Amino acid sequence: MKTKLTLVALAVLSVNATAANFSVPLDIEKDYACKRCVANEHSNSLGVMTEQSTHLDSQYGANADIRSEHFSIDANNAGADNGHLKAAAYYGDFALELAYVDRWNLDDNDIGAERKQLSAGAKYQNQLITAFVKASSEDKQGQRISSVVDPKPTNYLETIDHTTQVMNAGVQLHGDFWNLGVAAFNSDFTDNAGVDADNSAQQASVKGGLNFGTTRLSVSAASGKMIQDDAIEQENSLVPIANFDGEVETLDYNARISSRFAGIKLNGFYRYSDRDNVSGSYPFFDAINTPIDTSKTQYGFDASYRLGSVKFSAGFEQNDRTRSDSDREETQENELFARVEYRLSAFNSHIKFTTGERTGSDYRIGDDIFEKYYLADRDRLSTELGLGYSRNNYGANLKVILASDDYSNSSALKKSDEVLVNLDGFYRFNDQLVLNAYAGTQTIDSLELHNTEIADEFSYFGFGLEQYQINDDISVGSSYTFSFSGSDTSVDSTEMGDYYQYQHLAEFHMDYRINTRFSTRLAYTYERHYDTNYANQPIESINSIADLNQNYTDHKIGAFFTIKL
């Protein structure tokens, strides 16, 4: 089945059932306050934004934050490449919402796609019943890199022109200690460019919950299918199938329980997911394409107990998977952890120990083929240490993780050791000047087949400085951020080259309040981005479209105008 269907449908078909968190907050006066019971002061406003960028196109947008008893309007850069406009109306127990969202993203190769989504929804809610219906349509347009292998490996730009239409509706009954609801979902994916195959997904679900004293129970079940039955038309001819009648039936169960007894908090969960591929078998080059069924069962529990400033917790999780027609059809993974936390005034710390193992069924491969490392037997041991200290004017956090994985001798990967260190902190010079900084490093040493030693090292650091000067009418602000990340790889002590990227980002702005209703803002942003991307280096046997590194310097000037209604 096409990957497009799998990514879209599996993402939207997941059903989550979570129980409430009954842990006592550290700051009971603030965290236990009913925020819904506090009527925050609100000032309706309208604004207009325009930005001119040397790296991107000019953008114009509108901003609004208007609320009343019967309607609300929320706009954030509406009309620009990344913005939204949402309007809602309220009348008694009814609510209507209309939204338009625009998203523009660039990938690592500086090639982008734009998503434009229009949605409408209605909701009815009272003390006994909640009912909703929502429909959306999203158009995605842009370009991506594709390739052909015949007559010569060649990269080229391929058109993206997708439309995804989604409809979902549901109804829920709720009482003082229970709730029960049903929902239905439908999604249709269409490729207007005729490159990817069209597909659809449907699902029906039911969920419920019970509250009894300090115990909370939630359960859900869902059944659906994903279908692809249109012709496959691909310019690269990598799929030798003209029409693929694909169908995957899905089944999901979830349950979670939470309870408190004698000062001990207990949690347990169970999740089951089944994907039954009922598609047909087709010749695929010199082999037969066989549909693969998968199922996954997860369950676990944990318990925690607080004694003064110390909190103890421990838990267990089991993860079993079944894959048909695979090198190893069954794997069983389990993990056991213990954690101790200590908090005293501004200081906090924790230490966590984790151990786990993976086993499974016999391999269906020859003796001369090594097992894939993600399916092979493995023993894992890790330790995590955290230290933190925070005051009003300064603070810092340190996190260290040590992990070791041992694989069976039949795996191509025999051993892997990882060390991760991360440090971040802040210092407040005064109310107008704050310094933030972070740094970290990660090393992974692996022992592979034929005793080959591979060392990977990744490091990063950055800092930011923010300053504000405010009087009654004028606010002048500036901020600067620098970030760097890099990696280095060696094989048997032979350097294989490194990769790094860095970014300078500086912003200066001035806010001027003309009077109590009118205000303006002028902003200037400087961005310098550089990276070394070896994936874009030319290869003699492959025709490349261009060097696609994102190395650029950008100057952006923006103007904003706001009216308080």
Side-chain angles (χ1 to χ4, degrees):
M1 184 165 289
K2 280 292 294 175
T3 305
K4 279 280 183 280
L5 185 150
T6 305
L7 291 178
V8 174
L10 287 182
V12 298
L13 287 178
S14 61
V15 178
N16 297 319
T18 58
N21 183 355
F22 294 94
S23 59
V24 178
L26 297 177
D27 192 338
I28 193 170
E29 293 183 356
K30 294 182 180 180
D31 295 342
Y32 258 11
C34 179
K35 296 180 175 60
R36 292 178 299 175
C37 303
V38 179
N40 296 324
E41 295 184 1
H42 182 75
S43 178
N44 294 327
S45 64
L46 287 172
V48 178
M49 175 275 295
T50 177
E51 290 183 341
Q52 173 64 44
S53 172
T54 57
H55 182 61
L56 302 173
D57 295 332
S58 299
Q59 297 190 69
Y60 303 89
N63 298 281
D65 186 7
I66 303 174
R67 303 179 194 177
S68 71
E69 181 181 357
H70 295 294
F71 71 90
S72 66
I73 298 176
D74 176 26
N76 183 7
N77 296 343
D81 287 340
N82 284 284
H84 70 259
L85 173 63
K86 298 180 181 179
Y90 316 97
Y91 185 79
D93 297 330
F94 290 93
L96 300 175
E97 182 181 274
L98 184 66
Y100 175 78
V101 180
D102 194 320
R103 300 185 183 92
W104 170 264
N105 298 106
L106 293 173
D107 60 19
D108 292 338
N109 294 314
D110 205 6
I111 298 175
E114 184 177 20
R115 298 172 180 263
K116 295 182 178 181
Q117 184 186 85
L118 180 64
S119 64
K123 184 178 181 180
Y124 174 81
Q125 182 174 4
N126 58 26
Q127 294 183 348
L128 176 62
I129 187 173
T130 297
F132 73 92
V133 59
K134 184 176 181 180
S136 67
S137 179
E138 179 182 277
D139 291 324
K140 179 180 179 181
Q141 295 180 333
Q143 290 181 315
R144 64 188 178 191
I145 295 178
S146 188
S147 61
V148 295
V149 296
D150 187 31
K152 179 180 180 180
T154 303
N155 294 328
Y156 67 95
L157 290 179
E158 190 172 69
T159 300
I160 300 175
D161 190 358
H162 299 160
T163 299
T164 304
Q165 295 179 324
V166 176
M167 170 75 75
N168 56 63
V171 60
Q172 184 180 51
L173 302 176
H174 36 79
D176 295 335
F177 60 90
W178 60 274
N179 65 81
L180 179 64
V182 294
F185 168 90
N186 183 80
S187 174
D188 291 300
F189 171 85
T190 303
D191 187 352
N192 304 308
V195 178
D196 297 319
D198 299 345
N199 55 72
S200 63
Q202 299 86 36
Q203 185 193 65
S205 62
V206 57
K207 61 189 303 184
L210 289 174
N211 305 331
F212 184 75
T214 60
T215 301
R216 301 292 184 267
L217 172 66
S218 60
V219 295
S220 67
S223 177
K225 61 177 58 180
M226 302 177 289
I227 300 173
Q228 175 186 310
D229 57 4
D230 286 350
I232 298 177
E233 298 177 7
Q234 293 191 344
E235 297 180 18
N236 53 26
S237 302
L238 293 179
V239 180
I241 302 174
N243 188 288
F244 179 62
D245 295 326
E247 181 176 333
V248 176
E249 298 177 352
T250 67
L251 188 63
D252 297 271
Y253 299 115
N254 290 271
R256 181 175 291 273
I257 187 170
S258 173
S259 184
R260 182 179 293 276
F261 175 76
I264 302 176
K265 182 183 177 182
L266 302 173
N267 295 289
F269 74 91
Y270 173 84
R271 291 191 289 264
Y272 176 78
S273 174
D274 182 77
R275 300 294 180 261
D276 186 11
N277 195 335
V278 296
S279 307
S281 298
Y282 294 87
F284 199 90
F285 295 109
D286 296 331
I288 299 296
N289 175 60
T290 303
I292 297 178
D293 302 328
T294 63
S295 65
K296 179 171 61 176
T297 302
Q298 294 176 282
Y299 58 88
F301 61 87
D302 63 81
S304 60
Y305 179 76
R306 183 178 296 276
L307 181 63
S309 301
V310 183
K311 180 182 178 181
F312 304 91
S313 58
F316 172 82
E317 182 172 331
Q318 182 75 26
N319 187 346
D320 298 335
R321 298 182 183 226
T322 300
R323 313 165 184 84
S324 67
D325 196 40
S326 177
D327 291 348
R328 195 179 201 184
E329 292 192 345
E330 296 180 4
T331 57
Q332 293 88 37
E333 298 185 55
N334 62 73
E335 181 178 280
L336 181 67
F337 79 89
R339 179 184 175 106
V340 180
E341 300 178 49
Y342 177 75
R343 294 178 180 268
L344 180 62
S345 185
F347 175 77
N348 67 85
S349 63
H350 76 268
I351 185 170
K352 180 180 179 181
F353 300 98
T354 304
T355 180
E357 68 172 356
R358 177 170 61 213
T359 58
S361 59
D362 294 336
Y363 268 87
R364 301 169 54 187
I365 57 178
D367 296 335
D368 58 338
I369 301 178
F370 285 87
E371 302 173 357
K372 297 180 175 66
Y373 76 92
Y374 60 89
L375 297 176
D377 291 348
R378 181 202 63 196
D379 294 323
R380 166 167 291 182
L381 183 65
S382 67
T383 303
E384 177 182 318
L385 173 65
L387 300 173
Y389 187 83
S390 178
R391 306 288 292 185
N392 291 332
N393 295 330
Y394 56 90
N397 296 283
L398 173 66
K399 185 177 182 180
V400 180
I401 297 178
L402 307 175
S404 177
D405 293 337
D406 289 321
Y407 295 83
S408 66
N409 294 330
S410 59
S411 173
L413 178 62
K414 301 173 67 176
K415 186 177 182 180
S416 176
D417 295 320
E418 177 184 357
V419 178
L420 173 66
V421 180
N422 183 82
L423 177 65
D424 63 80
F426 74 94
Y427 185 82
R428 186 184 302 275
F429 295 95
N430 50 51
D431 292 339
Q432 291 80 37
L433 185 62
V434 179
L435 172 67
N436 299 279
Y438 64 90
T441 181
Q442 180 184 24
T443 60
I444 302 176
D445 297 323
S446 304
L447 180 63
E448 296 190 352
L449 179 64
H450 306 308
N451 294 323
T452 301
E453 296 181 356
I454 297 180
D456 292 304
E457 182 177 353
F458 176 77
S459 59
Y460 56 92
F461 66 87
F463 64 90
L465 191 64
E466 296 183 2
Q467 179 179 1
Y468 298 93
Q469 298 175 354
I470 303 174
N471 58 29
D472 291 339
D473 296 322
I474 299 178
S475 169
V476 179
S478 62
S479 64
Y480 171 75
T481 302
F482 173 78
S483 60
F484 171 88
S485 64
S487 63
D488 190 13
T489 300
S490 65
V491 178
D492 287 338
S493 301
T494 301
E495 296 293 333
M496 303 301 294
D498 60 356
Y499 166 84
Y500 66 91
Q501 67 176 16
Y502 64 81
Q503 181 188 54
H504 299 273
L505 182 62
E507 182 186 59
F508 305 91
H509 67 264
M510 182 185 70
D511 297 336
Y512 177 63
R513 188 178 64 174
I514 301 174
N515 53 44
T516 56
R517 295 182 60 191
F518 297 91
S519 62
T520 62
R521 163 177 280 206
L522 297 177
Y524 166 75
T525 301
Y526 168 82
E527 180 180 2
R528 172 68 172 117
H529 186 279
Y530 180 82
D531 66 52
T532 57
N533 192 342
Y534 289 103
N536 293 329
Q537 300 303 311
I539 302 176
E540 293 183 359
S541 60
I542 297 179
N543 293 331
S544 180
I545 56 177
D547 181 8
L548 300 173
N549 284 319
Q550 286 196 79
N551 300 331
Y552 61 86
T553 300
D554 184 37
H555 303 272
K556 183 167 62 178
I557 299 176
F560 308 83
F561 181 73
T562 302
I563 305 175
K564 290 186 177 180
L565 303 178

